[in-house]
Amino acid sequence: VDAHDAFMFHRIDYFNGKRAQAVASTAVALAVSLIIAFFITSSITTPFKQIYDILTGQAALNFSQKLDIDSTDEFGEMGQQINSSMEKLRLTIQEIMKSSGALGEAAMSWATVISEDMAKKGASSGMKEMEGSVTEVAASSSELSDLAGKFKI
């Protein structure tokens, strides 16, 4: 092997080493890119999954859940708004449940009073109509109470 051939073998070895370095660098860069992509993807999909689960619960009339997103970005703001809306809706449902129960009790009391009054004095058509209306209100509030009982709050 003469000097020229030795030089060429040295250059080939040098370029093979550089190629191996380039392949290794590319593999490391690809691995780092995949790890970064995984974390970015999960930072987006995890809040979406939580929001989806909460909204699915709402569709099933479950208003007892809360979102737990501790970020200050758009997801965190959306989570706070959803939690606020759910709390207001939960309080409204509780108020409706209380009111429908009170309305049902009052209507039943009025229906009893009207029935007793009709039995004592004789029923006029106006009294019969009023008794029917009050009984209808009592039945409607009872239905509303039954429906409100299906909510998880």
Side-chain angles (χ1 to χ4, degrees), residues 98-110 134 137-139 141-142 145:
K98 287 179 195 174
S99 297
S100 68
L103 179 63
E105 289 174 16
M108 290 304 289
S109 294
W110 272 102
V134 170
V137 167
S141 67
S142 177
S145 290

Side-chain angles (χ1 to χ4, degrees), residues 31-70:
V32 169
S33 297
L34 289 174
I35 291 170
I36 290 171
F38 172 77
F39 284 113
I40 289 173
T41 302
S42 67
S43 74
I44 293 171
T45 58
T46 299
F48 269 129
K49 172 92 171 83
Q50 289 178 355
I51 291 168
Y52 174 81
D53 291 343
I54 292 292
L55 295 177
T56 301
Q58 280 185 340
L61 305 178
N62 183 357
F63 297 96
S64 63
Q65 302 170 316
K66 281 194 156 203
L67 276 173
D68 187 28
I69 300 176
D70 294 329

Side-chain angles (χ1 to χ4, degrees), residues 80-92:
Q80 289 174 354
Q81 293 301 321
I82 288 173
N83 284 340
S84 176
S85 297
M86 285 179 50
E87 181 63 19
K88 289 175 184 174
L89 187 56
R90 187 181 67 76
L91 292 172
T92 301

Side-chain angles (χ1 to χ4, degrees), residues 16 19 24-25 40-41 69 74 91-92 98 124 130 143:
N16 282 339
R19 185 176 2 157
S25 296
I40 289 173
T41 302
I69 300 176
E74 292 84 0
L91 292 172
T92 301
K98 287 179 195 174
S124 69
M130 183 185 283
E143 287 177 24

